[in-house]
Each structure stands twice: as C-alpha cells, then as structure tokens.
Amino acid sequence: MGIEHDDKDEIDLLELLYAFRRRILWILLAAVLGGLGSFSYTRFLMTPMYQSTTTLLVLGTNSTLSSLADLQLGSQLTNDYEILTTSREVLNTVIDNLDLDMKYEELYSALTITNPEDSRIMEITLTYPDAGEAKAIVDEVASVTSAFIGDQMEGIPPKVIDEGEVPENPSSPSMRKNLMIGVLAGIVASCGIITLITLTDDTIKTEDDIEYYLGLPTLASVPDRKDYIGGKKKAKARRQAVKKVKKVKKR
C-alpha cells in the first residue's frame, strides 16, 4: 500500500510558530550576537568618514541677477562648471598644492557636486577619513576651480560663498544603522536554521504523524515509562501527605 502526499515540501505555519516559541532563547541569543558582531566590526574595522562642503555662486556676464535670462544662463554655466571642477587639471593641481598622497581617481571618487534646482549655486562636498584635511581639501578644490574657470572661460569666475567647516561627527558609518542590521541578520539567520531543522525533522512524535506518514489509524498509545513512574511517585507522595493531615486532625 503506497502513501502519496501532494505537498512535496508542505510548511505547517503553526508548527513553525511553535518551533520559534520553543527556541525563543536561541533567537534572542542570535540577535545579541549579531548586534555585538556588527558593533565590533563598525567600531574597530570600519574607517570613519567625514564630510565637508563649500558653496560657490556661479555668475554670468553680470555680477548681479537682473533678469530670468541671467538665471537660466547661470544654471547652464553651473552644469559646465561641475565638469570642469572634476577635470584632471583641477584635481591634479589640488593634489600638488596640498602634497596629497592620493591619485586623481581617488580624489575624484571622494568628491560630490550638487546643484540645487533653478539656482546658480554649486555645492562641492568631500568625503575623507580625516576631518581637518577634508575641510582643507574641499576649500582648495573650490579655490583652484574658481581660478581655473576664470582663466579658461570668458566671464566672471564662480565666487566662494561658504568655506568648508571641520566636521565634528563622522558621516559614516552609522553605528545605529549597522547595529540594527546586525540584530535583524541574527534573527533572520536563527529563524532560517530553526525552519530548516523543523522541515527536515521527519521523526514521528504524535498519533497524527503515524496516520499522516504511515496511513495507519492509531488504536492505542502506551505512556512513556518515565512519565508513568514519575506520576506514580507523585500520587504516592500525595497519599502520604493526606494521611499525615488526617493523623494531625485526630490528635
């Protein structure tokens, strides 16, 4: 007599919930270990990065904004200036002026240039592992960019509005974010392992399992010998306690 099951890998959600509840300490321990691992990695292995930003005002042929055409021209020039700011000549000049131990590609990847919509403002942001050098480098980039654009293009060079500041706190990595990721990773990993153990456990534990796996009805069940002995001892202890109470009452 063959027994067929349509559910090749049927998942009993209720059984999984019971398995998670039975092993809740495992899950909590995995969450703690994941958080500690993430904290240790972030604190001791990851290099903190600092950001410093300088702001430039892009001017057209006139130093003042007199019409909408001037604004549109300034916005167009800003797009051109973004490309010139990250040119090899500008960045290599910055490296030489500050005697930096880095290549053009490294400085290029550390820079972020943004232009707020409908404005003539250009923001240059540098991400660097040293807070003081981050300010010095981004200020030098703005200075060299302004001078380079003034020499290469006709018109008024961009004007530095705000110089960079020495950042007090690192911009990355985020300890809180990484800690949460570590805790969640621990919970997910432990739940995955518990799910795998539960699905691969095909041992027969209940009468329902006998009928499900073997297709045979359960006629009777034999209690565990340990449970029987334990229950017998408890019953005997209760009878003795009752006898003692009766003797005390008779006196």
Side-chain angles (χ1 to χ4, degrees):
M1 179 176 60
I3 301 172
E4 296 182 359
H5 301 292
D6 290 336
D7 53 340
K8 296 181 179 178
D9 289 315
E10 184 178 304
I11 299 177
D12 190 342
L13 296 180
L14 188 59
E15 184 180 358
L16 280 179
L17 291 177
Y18 284 141
F20 291 152
R21 189 178 67 176
R22 289 195 304 268
R23 297 176 174 86
I24 187 63
L25 293 180
W26 288 20
I27 298 175
L28 295 177
L29 179 60
V32 172
L33 292 178
L36 289 176
S38 178
F39 173 82
S40 300
Y41 180 79
T42 304
R43 180 67 177 82
F44 300 107
L45 298 180
M46 296 187 70
T47 302
M49 304 298 290
Y50 299 86
Q51 287 187 343
S52 184
T53 301
T54 184
T55 304
L56 283 75
L57 174 62
V58 178
L59 301 174
T61 55
N62 298 319
S63 59
T64 59
L65 179 62
S66 59
S67 65
L68 180 60
D70 289 337
L71 176 60
Q72 293 175 344
L73 178 61
S75 299
Q76 293 174 357
L77 288 175
T78 303
N79 295 329
D80 297 336
Y81 291 174
E82 290 181 18
I83 299 175
L84 293 176
T85 301
T86 56
S87 63
R88 286 188 175 272
E89 185 169 351
V90 170
L91 298 188
N92 284 332
T93 301
V94 172
I95 293 174
D96 293 337
N97 291 346
L98 298 179
D99 194 21
L100 300 176
D101 185 18
M102 59 192 313
K103 298 180 180 179
Y104 162 79
E105 291 78 10
E106 296 174 337
L107 182 56
Y108 177 85
S109 61
L111 285 173
T112 303
I113 301 176
T114 57
N115 170 223
E117 189 176 359
D118 297 330
S119 72
R120 300 186 299 172
I121 299 298
M122 185 171 67
E123 297 177 342
I124 305 175
T125 302
L126 179 78
T127 304
Y128 201 71
D130 185 275
E133 289 194 14
K135 169 187 165 43
I137 295 173
V138 77
D139 287 344
E140 185 66 17
V141 170
S143 176
V144 173
T145 297
S146 180
F148 177 76
I149 292 175
D151 293 338
Q152 298 295 325
M153 301 181 65
E154 295 181 358
I156 302 174
K159 181 180 180 181
V160 178
I161 301 176
D162 291 325
E163 293 185 348
E165 295 182 352
V166 178
E168 297 180 357
N169 300 314
S171 59
S172 65
S174 174
M175 179 64 74
R176 178 179 300 178
K177 178 181 178 181
N178 290 352
L179 189 61
M180 292 180 62
I181 292 176
V183 171
L184 290 177
I187 294 176
V188 171
S190 60
C191 289
I193 294 174
I194 293 173
T195 300
L196 181 62
I197 293 174
T198 303
L199 294 180
T200 56
D201 184 9
D202 56 358
T203 58
I204 296 176
K205 301 181 181 65
T206 64
E207 293 86 350
D208 294 336
D209 292 340
I210 296 176
E211 186 173 356
Y212 178 81
Y213 289 110
L214 303 179
L216 300 174
T218 304
L219 300 179
S221 61
V222 179
D224 191 353
R225 180 65 180 173
K226 295 179 181 179
D227 295 340
Y228 173 74
I229 295 174
K232 189 174 181 180
K233 288 182 178 180
K234 290 180 180 178
K236 183 178 180 181
R238 285 196 296 269
R239 288 196 298 269
Q240 291 177 351
V242 171
K243 289 180 180 179
K244 291 181 180 180
V245 172
K246 291 181 178 179
K247 289 181 180 179
V248 172
K249 290 183 177 180
K250 289 180 179 180
R251 292 178 184 176

